[in-house]
Amino acid sequence: MKADSATTPVPSAGATSPVHARLLGAVAEAARLLSSTDFDTAMPEVMGLLGEAAGLDGGRVYTYRHLPERRPGWWFDMLYEWTAPGIPRASDIPGRFPFDGADFLDWSERLTRGEAVQALARELGPRPQALQEVDQAKSLLVVPVMVNQVFWGCLGFDDCVEERVWTEPEIATLETAARSVAAAIEREWASEAQQRASALITAIARGSRLLLETDKFDYALESMVRFLGEASQLHGRVYLFRRVKDLERDGLWYDHEHEWVSEGLPRSEDLADRFPMSLDGTFLDWKDRLVAGETVQALSRHLDAPAQAIQERDQAKSLLGVPIQLGDEHWGVIGIDDCAYERVWASTEITALEMAARAIAAGIQRERERTNKERYLALLTGVSEATALLINSEDLALSLETASARIGQASGLDRVYLGEIREADAEVPEPYFYMSHEWTQPGIPMESQGPPGRVRLDRDFPEQMAKLRAGESVNFWRSDLVGASLEINVYGGALALLAIPIMVGGAPVGLFGLDNCTEVRPFTAPELTVAQNMANAIAAALERQRIQDELAEEKARAALAVLEERNRLARDVHDSLAQHFSVASIHLEAAKRHRARGYLDKFDHFIETVHQVVREGSAAARRSVAVLQAPAIENGDLPGALNELCAKIRAHSDLEVTLDAAPGFPALPREHCQHLYRAIQEAIHNALKHSGGRHIWIMLRHLPGNLEIQVGDDGTGFTTDAAAGTARALGFGLNDMRRRTEEIGARLRLTASPEGGALVTIQLPFIVS
Amino acid sequence: MKKTLRVFLIDDHPMLIEGVRSILSIEPDIEIVGEAGNGYEALQLCRGKQIDVILLDLQLPLMEGIDFLKAYRQAGGAAEVLILSTYSKPDEIQQIVEAGAKGYLLKDSTAEIIIEALHEVARGEVYFQAEIVRKMDEISRFPKLTEREAQILNLLAEGLLNKEIAEKLGISEGTTKVHLCSVFRKLRVSTRTEAICVGEKHGLIRH
């Protein structure tokens, strides 16, 4: 009632004229009527009171409501009209309303500012004059009604009898009447707003419960929007816009999520090419205010031109935007368009709608946590399966392929890949990435089949690469990339990327990557941990494969060594036997030939030679086999094994073989024993075959820091020429001896022995601990 | 009366020379004009001598048979050369024929064959024992390795790993594998060890 007391004038003795005095009384009565009766009942009576008090015996009083029409012009509807007897009612004139005040546009500025305007009909332009001729008005007074400081409409006073000029006090009094009307409207609106706010709160409570209780998050959001629309008693729309990240363009972008519209209005969603939409460069300063969490509202006609054009299509007359904030993050906006009135939202309604925004934010947060948990579980499932595969599989390449697919299928991510970080090579002169395994969801292109460019790691994403080298995973957007890697990811459609280094021996040898092609979202910390585990499992599998390869190579080498030895043994035996058999054969032929020719005297001689050669041959073969057989050396006792070898040689030949092992010659590891034994055996064999000497000696000594083994003979030795002559056999034996001694870190020298034969010296660094 | 065949013997095994000498010395139309135990000695002794056929062993100390043959031809020696040796790898036979030997006998040939071959070769004919012809045939039928493939097979036989082979030849490991696969395919083998065995057997491995 406070407002009433401010706007209700007290009839005073300050009246300047009888008309003024009557007007003061009428205005007081009007104010009482407006505050005690409902607006629609009071207004016709108020019109009459004012008309009679003003003495408009031949005139009319009316109430115009301004219509915020989108079409050009200045549109009004007539709500109430009083006319003196005999004066035509403007509202009865066909086609008069809604009325375009375009011809009175020069009045609009003053009126919307809240100033009254009066004029004589004959002073108006020709078109307004013509209008007044129909209305029979000779003078006009228009007093604006400002509701909440906004031009709502006006009270009009036509005098159809005389060219009346209204006095200042008269006008001031009528302005008081207009304020009473405005106050009544404001009261009406406030009560409507109060009702709407309470309806909204009921709706929000329903929507919040749904958001909290249902698993169908999207359905709950849609319902909330619908509840708000139904509760708002609105001819218009309620919508939910979600903020989206646009990688190609800066700024604030929204996509359309849900919308409720009154019957007969277009859905903003259906307007072509609208989404995603940006608030940049238009919509006043809304972008910054919304991001900061501030509710914004405006009348369409106050927006800048591009935004107005949008609202023209949407038919919105007023707009409201309530931001949805998740902590500091601006998630999106609840928007409300009023397509009937230039609604100014009351603070109670805004408070209610901000509650709705908070409820939605809480629902989103809960949904986000749930989704994150699901994603985490899905990725964890995929990674567990993939890890099991890697551990159990024999074929690494195949299992990596399958592992990528398992992770992709389980996690729902769009691309899972693996590849090597390759150092500079002939193809690319700097470190680059080579994708070796790739899995994509159906419909997502394979990057490994895309553009042929190589991702040059240090050039295409230096910052990320520095982290990868340090063993850290990197989570980035496609827009962070340049060069070939950008090109490849544009082809592959990746938006958000996660790359994890596969670390072997403290350095990244490859990358394990996960791409999201549908959403620009960061990977969560639990997801990173799981992905990191996968990279570790891959690193372990690679390492295991490398060790297996090495073992296989080692086995192959060992097999090769055995084969070489066998071949050599076979060749030795064969060479020796073939030589003896050839000689025997030739002598047999000589014997036959002599007998055929009748030279019988030499026959027995030939036969004896053949017999001798055959005996020598088989002895040589036996010796070769005996010498080249390798015994198992027990307890690292090299001197013991050599002793047995010497005994064997002595048994098969009449050579003098001596072994001189220094006392306390240490027991050696098995591998060392085998290699040393073989090398010594080879040296003896060479001496036997090539030296032609009578004495072979072996010496084992323990020098400071060294074990020294020597094999010498008193044969012909070898000159460079001689060495060339027997290069095949000797060379081969030497190579084998070198290989064996190098294998255990020993050194081998071939020199002349003091007796003039060959001397093989093997030195093995050895320190008694 | 047939013209006397002048023969020079080269073998490092004295007993073998003795046997051959025993066979040829009782032939009325064969005269042994000299003997040598290695290639060097032979080059000295052949110089200035009237020789129709040289009976040559291949495995000789100081200078092998093939090297002697080349040096002898280089020095303008015109005698025909008949190889009398134990066994040979196919590629050695190829080389010896290319160097100008007219015949090849194994040391277990009968005396009749040795004598017949000496006469044939002296007349300018070729004389190869059936076994040698078979071996030569084998060479032509055996798939030829490219130079790179042969190189890789030899390095393999030296016990080098793929990576080491690649480094040595200055090619990538991948390329090495490709060549190796091709070697495997040509030799119809599936492992490194087998490849070395087969390569060894067919004389593709040089020592």
Side-chain angles (χ1 to χ4, degrees):
Chain A
M1 295 314 283
K2 203 178 168 193
D4 288 354
S5 63
T7 51
T8 306
V10 177
S12 87
T16 52
S17 65
V19 169
H20 186 208
R22 283 202 305 278
L23 274 176
L24 284 172
V27 166
E29 177 59 11
R32 192 194 57 77
L33 265 172
L34 282 167
S35 61
S36 59
T37 324
D38 83 281
F39 191 68
D40 274 333
T41 317
M43 278 306 279
E45 217 171 312
V46 169
M47 298 289 101
L49 273 172
L50 294 177
E52 281 162 8
L56 291 171
D57 300 338
R60 72 171 66 76
V61 179
Y62 53 86
T63 305
Y64 268 19
R65 162 119 205 221
H66 173 246
L67 296 177
E69 294 283 329
R70 300 303 320 165
R71 53 186 161 156
W74 194 31
W75 296 90
F76 292 90
D77 200 0
M78 183 180 272
L79 295 190
Y80 313 103
E81 183 179 22
W82 170 90
T83 48
I87 299 299
R89 288 173 67 83
S91 49
D92 290 344
I93 299 169
R96 167 64 69 88
F97 294 98
F99 167 73
D100 183 3
D103 297 323
F104 298 89
L105 272 181
D106 52 338
W107 288 7
S108 77
E109 200 185 317
R110 292 165 64 192
L111 283 173
T112 50
R113 217 168 37 226
E115 265 176 44
V117 179
Q118 66 168 322
L120 298 181
R122 62 181 162 85
E123 289 169 348
L124 296 171
R127 281 161 56 86
Q129 260 187 49
L131 192 70
Q132 297 317 317
E133 267 161 37
V134 177
D135 290 357
Q136 300 176 16
K138 290 199 163 55
S139 113
L140 300 83
L141 170 67
V142 183
V143 182
V145 178
M146 307 296 283
V147 178
N148 293 327
Q149 278 99 53
V150 175
F151 176 67
W152 173 90
C154 45
L155 302 179
F157 303 89
D158 289 357
D159 193 324
C160 305
V161 178
E162 55 176 329
E163 292 190 332
R164 177 197 292 235
V165 175
W166 299 77
T167 65
E168 286 289 325
E170 286 165 354
I171 292 172
T173 307
L174 288 173
E175 281 173 345
T176 306
R179 275 196 293 279
S180 296
V181 171
I185 294 169
E186 280 169 12
R187 271 197 308 279
E188 188 119 323
W189 281 12
S191 115
E192 277 170 27
Q194 194 61 50
Q195 278 172 29
R196 279 199 305 268
S198 99
L200 279 173
I201 287 168
T202 312
I204 291 161
R206 270 175 79 197
S208 303
R209 203 159 45 239
L210 206 54
L211 274 170
L212 269 175
E213 286 169 4
T214 183
D215 285 338
K216 294 173 193 145
F217 177 69
D218 216 43
Y219 167 75
L221 271 189
E222 192 194 347
S223 303
M224 175 65 105
V225 169
R226 194 177 66 243
F227 294 161
L228 291 178
E230 287 164 356
S232 63
Q233 300 156 26
L234 185 72
H235 180 69
R237 64 176 66 79
V238 178
Y239 48 83
L240 190 66
F241 284 178
R242 183 170 55 92
R243 184 187 188 178
V244 288
K245 197 164 169 59
D246 190 308
L247 287 180
E248 266 66 48
R249 295 173 291 190
D250 285 338
L252 180 65
W253 293 87
Y254 291 108
D255 206 351
H256 180 278
E257 283 284 302
H258 297 291
E259 183 176 9
W260 171 91
V261 285
S262 306
E263 226 179 292
L265 280 177
R267 296 175 67 85
S268 67
E269 187 186 13
D270 296 338
L271 298 171
D273 307 329
R274 167 72 64 85
F275 297 99
M277 70 174 282
S278 167
L279 293 187
D280 285 291
T282 181
F283 282 94
L284 315 169
D285 55 352
W286 282 14
K287 177 189 158 189
D288 295 334
R289 290 168 63 194
L290 283 171
V291 169
E294 198 186 313
T295 297
V296 291
Q297 62 171 323
L299 303 183
S300 288
R301 61 189 162 90
H302 290 159
L303 295 174
D304 31 27
Q308 272 196 34
I310 293 172
Q311 298 320 315
E312 207 155 309
R313 283 197 300 185
D314 286 359
Q315 302 179 21
K317 293 195 167 61
S318 91
L319 297 86
L320 173 73
V322 184
I324 299 169
Q325 305 293 101
L326 269 70
D328 288 339
E329 177 194 343
H330 175 58
W331 182 89
V333 61
I334 304 172
I336 303 185
D337 292 353
D338 190 325
C339 300
Y341 302 106
E342 292 196 321
R343 184 192 298 237
V344 176
W345 291 85
S347 65
T348 45
E349 291 170 292
I350 289 174
T351 305
L353 288 167
E354 285 172 347
M355 269 171 59
R358 277 194 295 277
I360 290 172
I364 292 164
Q365 188 63 43
R366 202 175 69 101
E367 175 65 9
R368 216 179 243 187
E369 280 159 17
R370 198 183 59 80
T371 314
N372 282 348
K373 206 173 282 175
E374 265 175 21
R375 280 174 179 153
Y376 166 71
L377 281 176
L379 186 60
L380 185 64
T381 307
V383 164
S384 307
E385 284 180 18
T387 308
L389 256 169
L390 285 185
I391 290 172
N392 298 324
S393 166
E394 294 290 311
D395 184 339
L396 182 64
L398 183 69
S399 64
L400 286 177
E401 191 79 45
T402 321
S404 310
R406 284 287 161 81
I407 294 166
Q409 285 154 353
S411 68
L413 286 162
D414 297 305
R415 175 178 299 102
V416 180
Y417 63 86
L418 275 170
E420 299 165 29
I421 293 177
R422 291 191 171 170
E423 294 310 318
D425 60 22
E427 191 194 347
V428 185
E430 57 192 297
Y432 68 98
F433 179 65
Y434 173 79
M435 192 184 278
S436 53
H437 300 282
E438 183 183 17
W439 179 91
T440 57
Q441 292 283 359
I444 302 285
M446 304 267 283
E447 287 184 355
S448 48
Q449 292 167 13
R454 290 288 186 215
V455 175
R456 298 175 185 219
L457 296 166
D458 292 317
R459 194 190 300 185
D460 289 357
F461 51 120
E463 273 173 47
Q464 292 87 342
M465 197 53 208
K467 281 189 174 179
L468 290 170
R469 284 200 199 284
E472 286 173 44
S473 54
V474 286
N475 190 182
F476 51 103
W477 315 135
R478 183 172 75 203
S479 48
D480 298 334
L481 297 169
V482 293
S485 71
L486 176 61
E487 197 184 319
I488 288 167
N489 280 294
V490 166
Y491 171 84
L495 296 175
L497 303 87
L498 175 65
I500 301 140
I502 298 170
M503 304 293 285
V504 172
V509 298
L511 295 180
F512 167 58
L514 300 172
D515 286 358
N516 197 331
C517 300
T518 40
E519 196 186 350
V520 182
R521 70 158 179 97
F523 286 78
T524 63
E527 281 179 301
L528 288 182
T529 309
V530 174
Q532 187 75 55
N533 285 345
M534 191 63 229
N536 291 344
I538 294 165
L542 289 175
E543 190 62 2
R544 193 181 59 142
Q545 182 69 31
R546 190 183 62 77
I547 292 169
Q548 276 176 355
D549 283 351
E550 272 181 14
L551 281 176
E553 290 280 6
E554 228 162 80
K555 265 191 208 163
R557 264 194 226 242
L560 195 60
V562 168
L563 182 78
E564 278 171 359
E565 259 159 30
R566 267 191 211 148
N567 277 349
R568 201 153 44 79
L569 181 62
R571 207 158 44 234
D572 277 340
V573 174
H574 182 269
D575 278 355
S576 160
L577 286 177
Q579 187 79 283
H580 287 90
F581 281 128
S582 302
V583 174
S585 170
I586 289 287
H587 282 262
L588 273 176
E589 282 303 307
K592 276 161 62 188
R593 197 75 181 164
H594 278 74
R595 192 180 57 184
R597 293 283 171 105
Y599 302 116
L600 292 175
D601 55 328
K602 283 193 123 179
F603 184 78
D604 285 346
H605 164 71
F606 290 130
I607 296 303
E608 183 46 42
T609 308
V610 169
H611 192 194
Q612 189 195 330
V613 169
V614 169
R615 267 202 315 270
E616 271 175 23
S618 65
R622 265 204 310 280
R623 200 167 51 233
S624 282
V625 172
V627 170
L628 292 172
Q629 266 172 349
I633 300 170
E634 307 222 334
N635 307 323
D637 181 12
L638 185 62
L642 291 173
N643 220 352
E644 280 175 34
L645 177 65
C646 292
K648 226 186 269 177
I649 298 166
R650 283 184 214 108
H652 291 289
S653 71
D654 47 6
L655 285 175
E656 190 192 338
V657 188
T658 54
L659 172 68
D660 177 10
F665 192 84
L668 296 174
R670 195 172 160 275
E671 196 195 358
H672 285 61
C673 274
Q674 285 293 346
H675 284 301
L676 287 172
Y677 182 91
R678 278 298 197 183
I680 294 165
Q681 197 178 27
E682 190 64 50
I684 295 171
H685 189 244
N686 282 337
L688 275 175
K689 263 179 71 179
H690 307 291
S691 81
R694 305 300 308 155
H695 181 207
I696 297 173
W697 49 268
I698 309 163
M699 191 149 68
L700 304 183
R701 279 187 297 177
H702 189 184
L703 305 175
N706 266 321
L707 294 181
E708 189 177 80
I709 297 154
Q710 289 190 314
V711 181
D713 64 62
D714 61 349
T716 53
F718 53 92
T719 60
T720 327
D721 287 342
T726 54
R728 286 167 55 100
L730 191 61
F732 197 93
L734 259 183
N735 278 346
D736 186 60
M737 283 155 71
R738 284 240 155 76
R739 187 174 65 75
R740 289 185 179 285
T741 45
E742 274 166 18
E743 193 88 15
I744 54 171
R747 263 168 21 103
L748 178 127
R749 269 178 303 138
L750 181 60
T751 52
S753 79
E755 291 89 343
L759 176 65
V760 173
T761 307
I762 299 168
Q763 279 190 320
L764 174 69
F766 188 90
I767 293 162
V768 182
S769 54
Chain B
M1 177 75 192
K2 265 203 232 166
K3 182 180 164 281
T4 300
L5 205 61
R6 302 165 64 82
V7 179
F8 193 99
L9 304 181
I10 307 176
D11 200 303
D12 64 331
H13 206 293
M15 286 186 77
L16 196 114
I17 291 242
E18 188 195 319
V20 175
R21 197 195 304 126
S22 302
I23 293 169
L24 300 184
S25 61
I26 54 169
E27 289 304 308
D29 49 359
I30 290 179
E31 182 194 343
I32 294 169
V33 295
E35 295 169 3
N38 63 58
Y40 275 123
E41 199 186 349
L43 276 178
Q44 313 293 326
L45 297 176
C46 286
R47 195 172 295 150
K49 274 209 171 78
Q50 193 72 36
I51 305 167
D52 295 312
V53 183
I54 296 173
L55 197 59
L56 175 67
D57 186 15
L58 288 177
Q59 287 90 41
L60 297 172
L62 298 182
M63 183 186 254
E64 294 216 38
I66 175 80
D67 299 322
F68 161 77
L69 180 50
K70 288 176 184 163
Y72 176 70
R73 289 276 183 252
Q74 193 90 42
E80 300 295 354
V81 172
L82 176 63
I83 305 297
L84 179 68
S85 192
T86 41
Y87 69 98
S88 273
K89 292 175 182 171
D91 65 331
E92 283 173 346
I93 298 173
Q94 188 89 19
Q95 280 181 35
I96 212 89
V97 171
E98 278 165 14
K102 277 290 168 60
Y104 197 127
L105 299 180
L106 289 173
K107 281 179 174 172
D108 55 4
S109 305
T110 63
E112 286 75 20
I113 285 179
I114 295 172
I115 292 160
E116 186 188 342
L118 283 171
H119 285 292
E120 288 288 309
V121 168
R123 268 206 307 278
E125 298 294 325
V126 292
Y127 197 103
F128 287 92
Q129 227 167 356
E131 200 180 325
I132 299 299
V133 174
R134 233 186 355 263
K135 278 209 171 179
M136 289 171 70
D137 197 34
E138 229 172 77
I139 314 176
S140 54
R141 255 185 298 159
F142 199 75
K144 268 224 151 63
L145 296 189
T146 64
E147 201 173 316
R148 215 352 91 85
E149 288 163 358
Q151 244 175 336
I152 287 175
L153 180 60
N154 274 280
L155 293 173
L156 201 64
E158 281 177 28
L160 266 60
L161 303 177
N162 288 350
K163 207 195 290 172
E164 294 166 346
I165 294 176
E167 270 169 30
K168 193 147 191 171
L169 299 181
I171 57 179
S172 80
E173 208 176 330
T175 312
T176 309
K177 280 183 188 164
V178 169
H179 285 307
L180 207 51
C181 277
S182 157
V183 170
F184 283 13
R185 193 165 36 77
K186 287 185 178 175
L187 303 186
R188 298 200 193 96
V189 298
S190 52
T191 68
R192 299 158 70 92
T193 312
E194 265 187 284
I196 295 164
C197 280
V198 174
E200 188 84 43
K201 197 171 139 206
H202 292 281
L204 299 171
I205 313 266
R206 297 180 283 268
H207 290 293

